[in-house]
Amino acid sequence: MSSSGPFCTAVEAKRLVENLLSDLRTLSTEARKKHSQVKEAAESGLVKIKNISTASNEQNLLTNIRCASAELLQPLILGCSSRNARLVQVSLQAIQKMVQHRVIESASAHIIVNELWHLMEAECEELRVLQTLTPLVSTELLVTGQWLAKCLVMCFRLNFAKDPIVINTASATVRQMVNCVYERVIQEDGLKGYDMSTIHQTVRIHAKAPPPALRPCALDGYMLFHDLCLLINSEAPLWLVGIQEMTRTLGLELLESVLSSYPSVFTKHPEFAQLLKDQVCPLIIKLFAPNHKQMQITSQHPSSSTHAALDSISSQMPCSPERIYFPISMRLLRVVVILITLYYNLLVTECEIFLALLVKFLESDKLGWQRAIAVEVLHKIVVLPELLIWFCENYDARPGATKAINSIVSGLATHVQLSFLRPSVSENIAKDEEQFEPNIQSGSQPGFQYRGVWIPLCQNITSKKSLLLDSLEKHDAFNLPNGYSLSLTYYCICSCCQSVFEAIESLHSRKEKEDVARELYQSTYTNLFVAISLFLDASIDESVTEQLLKCFVTMTLLSCRLGHTAGRDAAYFALCKAALPPNYLMRIASASGSLSPISGSLISVNPHFEKDSLTGSKVEKVENESVSNQPCQIIAVSTICPTPSLPLNFYSGTVVLTAKNVQVARILISSAEANGQDLGDCWHLVLASMQHLVWILGMTPSMQGGFRSDGM
């Protein structure tokens, strides 16, 4: 291994000499007729390289070439200045090889950058210009400061070239070069990874003055990020001189790339952290404003037509300010996800605003894709237990602060209610936007059926992969799979239950912040029970029902551990209600004075049941409608269990017990057994429900100590 390094260096040096000799000979031959100055310089370069090669050994050959790089570059720069296509090709090819072998000095690099700029303005060999810029920026620190900015500006401007190949190459090159800028910052800081302690104190800097304390690479990164924000906001850049505008989609993608890939840069440098507060967050809030007009894009190419560029983009722009432009909104939300999940410690107030914005996206007056993409974002948030703990500490558990977690879960529960309880509204919105396909039930596909409307469950949905958030190539919101939004909310609710459990268990295991754990449960249980109960009522698949029951068991276990009586009573009432036929327990509870305190707790978490209607026909109508026409296996048909407190008119008719009721009953019994010592007064509800269940099933005690059904 020790000899392979020098051997490789010697081989590379020899190969470089051979390539340079070949390129200079070609340059001399091609320039013979019309470019005598280039020919003479090329021949002089040939002599120079031969002399260096003769006077050098294998160890110092590259070093000697580097020392003479200014002279060797002269014929190549002259070849570029000729604007002759063939001479430019050969010259840039030779320059690329010299850069890759690290034989270019910084002073010479500046000359190369200037010549590349002239070629870009002359629209000469644009593709090769881009191919030369990449190694020039990524190799060591050949270009920094204004020269680095000039390289970036060339890439941005070539994004508006006439040739589609050049445009695509420029788009890829600018992304690569932006990453190089921040890799330099990482190297300059001497970091081995991104595990950095967060800096809470930030330094406010004058808007147009570069921060004085930053080192060169960090300063370049700061100025680049600052200018990206300015350009996205349609303002003139301070560092990227020569570019006035860029596509907002590209700017947001670059912003997202930097924020997601280099969080340590922002947590280590207070100047960068302040940029998040002063530039990024206000920019996002401004772009989400309802009356904000989308930026028109003009070409940066020197001779291209501005009107042609506007015409090409106008087809992708909204026809009115009121219409939401999907590509911008989607990219903004991608940035919001990163800010909330990676930079929440730096952005306490801003995260509160973003969360409120996401919840607002779930309102019924929003477009179908807006509600769906908001749930995608919230799904990425609620799967992180540590983030829920932080939200609770800084918002929900703080007196006078916004109940952020409560708002999130409430928004999700409302979205479920909108989909189930107001299908006409949901269908109208979806139809207007042409977001959903007609409801056609598939016999084998799991799903939900509520009030005669069947909604399929889209499977394989995770927080890591999103249909809308990952649609970077789409110019418009596409037709979502039927049932996608509701399915996404189902998975989001299940993930939220698990995250709440893990968060509270984490706090409990560390024996700290018990008040935060209790507040976290208080902020979530009410609306989680609303959503889970609705999903459970509508579920027509055994595996889906099982998952929803696990959520109930999880929340029930937490309520018992925390001593949260209201949450415990509400959870067991919901389980008992689901274990019995439709409207059965609600009617019993409304007529039984002994169960009224517990039933009241359920009413508080089920706003779609009106308290003054529990004794009438409305409850029966609501619950009967919710499960009507559901395909389910009937287990038993019986009458209501005789109870002294019930009026005689309650005993008319029969009740039907289904396989889903029995499935819930099994979970109810096992949960009550596991948490028996913590149930307290709730035992009355559980035992009463079991009594009614036994009656409906026709079960009687056997001589062996068990139970048997009639006829067995």
Side-chain angles (χ1 to χ4, degrees), residues 219-239:
L219 183 60
D220 289 342
Y222 176 92
M223 295 304 295
L224 171 58
F225 193 84
H226 186 259
D227 275 9
L228 285 176
C229 295
L230 292 176
L231 287 166
I232 294 171
N233 201 32
S234 306
E235 297 180 38
L238 304 176
W239 188 64

Side-chain angles (χ1 to χ4, degrees), residues 674-694:
N675 303 311
Q677 61 182 3
D678 300 311
L679 290 190
D681 294 340
C682 207
W683 268 117
H684 185 198
L685 170 67
V686 174
L687 294 176
S689 300
M690 289 299 101
Q691 180 185 13
H692 286 268
L693 189 66
V694 167

Side-chain angles (χ1 to χ4, degrees), residues 391 524 561 647:
F391 285 164
T524 54
R561 289 185 181 178

Side-chain angles (χ1 to χ4, degrees), residues 99-102 134-143 184:
V99 171
Q100 290 166 354
H101 285 83
R102 304 174 188 271
T134 302
L136 194 63
V137 172
S138 59
T139 303
E140 296 179 337
L141 296 177
L142 282 178
V143 288
R184 290 178 174 188

Side-chain angles (χ1 to χ4, degrees), residues 463-531:
S463 61
K464 295 182 179 179
K465 188 175 182 180
S466 306
L467 282 182
L468 292 170
L469 280 176
D470 295 336
S471 304
L472 291 172
E473 302 300 323
K474 302 290 184 181
H475 297 299
D476 293 296
F478 53 91
N479 289 347
L480 294 170
N482 193 19
Y484 175 75
S485 183
L486 186 66
S487 302
L488 184 64
T489 312
Y490 160 76
Y491 289 109
C492 190
I493 290 292
C494 293
S495 298
C496 187
C497 287
Q498 183 61 31
S499 293
V500 169
F501 176 79
E502 292 178 11
I504 294 177
E505 283 292 289
S506 174
L507 292 172
H508 183 71
S509 64
R510 290 180 284 183
K511 300 185 183 302
E512 60 181 18
K513 302 177 181 177
E514 290 293 334
D515 57 328
V516 175
R518 189 173 180 84
E519 183 61 40
L520 178 57
Y521 186 85
Q522 177 67 30
S523 294
T524 54
Y525 87 92
T526 301
N527 291 292
L528 283 178
F529 287 168
V530 171

Side-chain angles (χ1 to χ4, degrees), residues 160-398:
F160 296 89
K162 297 175 181 178
D163 188 346
I165 297 178
V166 174
I167 295 173
N168 293 334
T169 305
S171 179
T173 303
V174 75
R175 287 171 168 82
Q176 184 177 350
M177 289 173 61
V178 167
N179 286 336
C180 286
V181 171
Y182 293 96
E183 288 293 342
R184 290 178 174 188
V185 181
I186 298 293
Q187 294 173 6
E188 185 179 65
D189 291 338
L191 297 180
K192 295 182 179 179
Y194 298 147
D195 186 16
M196 297 293 299
S197 59
T198 302
I199 295 179
H200 296 279
Q201 295 181 349
T202 54
V203 179
R204 188 166 295 278
I205 305 164
H206 189 270
K208 295 186 178 181
L214 292 177
R215 288 178 287 183
C217 292
L219 183 60
D220 289 342
Y222 176 92
M223 295 304 295
L224 171 58
F225 193 84
H226 186 259
D227 275 9
L228 285 176
C229 295
L230 292 176
L231 287 166
I232 294 171
N233 201 32
S234 306
E235 297 180 38
L238 304 176
W239 188 64
L240 296 172
V241 180
I243 176 175
Q244 288 76 41
E245 290 179 320
M246 67 176 175
T247 57
R248 191 164 268 162
T249 51
L250 174 61
L252 289 171
E253 287 175 18
L254 293 175
L255 211 64
E256 178 200 344
S257 175
V258 174
L259 290 170
S260 61
S261 302
Y262 306 100
S264 65
V265 173
F266 293 86
T267 55
K268 182 177 178 63
H269 298 281
E271 297 86 354
F272 280 83
Q274 194 64 39
L275 275 181
L276 296 179
K277 285 181 169 291
D278 294 345
Q279 296 291 332
V280 178
C281 294
L283 173 64
I284 292 174
I285 294 170
K286 175 184 176 181
L287 293 179
F288 270 127
N291 297 324
H292 181 75
K293 294 183 179 180
Q294 301 298 333
M295 177 183 69
Q296 297 297 313
I297 303 169
T298 56
S299 175
Q300 301 301 310
H301 201 269
S303 63
S304 63
S305 170
T306 299
H307 294 290
L310 286 172
D311 291 339
S312 66
I313 299 298
S314 61
S315 61
Q316 303 172 17
M317 289 294 183
C319 56
S320 66
E322 289 74 21
R323 183 180 174 187
I324 307 300
Y325 187 40
F326 171 75
I328 298 298
S329 296
M330 176 262 293
R331 286 167 174 81
L332 285 171
L333 288 173
R334 288 173 65 93
V335 175
V336 167
V337 170
I338 294 169
L339 291 175
I340 292 177
T341 56
L342 294 182
Y343 299 96
Y344 54 89
N345 280 316
L346 298 173
L347 305 170
V348 178
T349 303
E350 291 78 6
C351 282
E352 183 180 359
I353 296 173
F354 292 147
L355 292 174
L357 177 71
L358 291 171
V359 173
K360 196 170 183 64
F361 264 52
L362 294 173
E363 294 177 355
S364 60
D365 61 338
K366 297 299 185 291
L367 304 179
W369 67 262
Q370 284 182 291
R371 295 196 300 275
I373 200 170
V375 178
E376 287 183 347
V377 174
L378 291 173
H379 195 191
K380 293 179 180 294
I381 293 172
V382 300
V383 296
L384 303 174
E386 288 300 321
L387 193 56
L388 293 183
I389 293 175
W390 187 87
F391 285 164
C392 191
E393 289 176 339
N394 288 273
Y395 305 131
D396 294 67
R398 185 164 294 181

Side-chain angles (χ1 to χ4, degrees), residues 43-106:
E43 291 175 349
S44 176
L46 284 169
V47 174
K48 185 70 176 177
I49 290 180
K50 290 177 181 178
N51 292 338
I52 293 174
S53 180
T54 303
S56 305
N57 54 38
E58 294 180 348
Q59 285 71 34
N60 63 6
L61 179 56
L62 284 179
T63 303
N64 292 338
I65 293 176
R66 182 183 179 90
C67 293
S69 62
E71 297 178 53
L72 297 177
L73 276 173
Q74 186 178 2
L76 305 179
I77 297 299
L78 289 173
C80 292
S81 301
S82 69
R83 303 296 184 268
N84 177 278
R86 179 57 180 158
L87 296 183
V88 172
Q89 291 173 9
V90 175
S91 299
L92 290 180
Q93 178 178 291
I95 290 174
Q96 291 171 23
K97 292 171 184 174
M98 293 182 69
V99 171
Q100 290 166 354
H101 285 83
R102 304 174 188 271
V103 294
I104 298 291
E105 295 180 331
S106 296

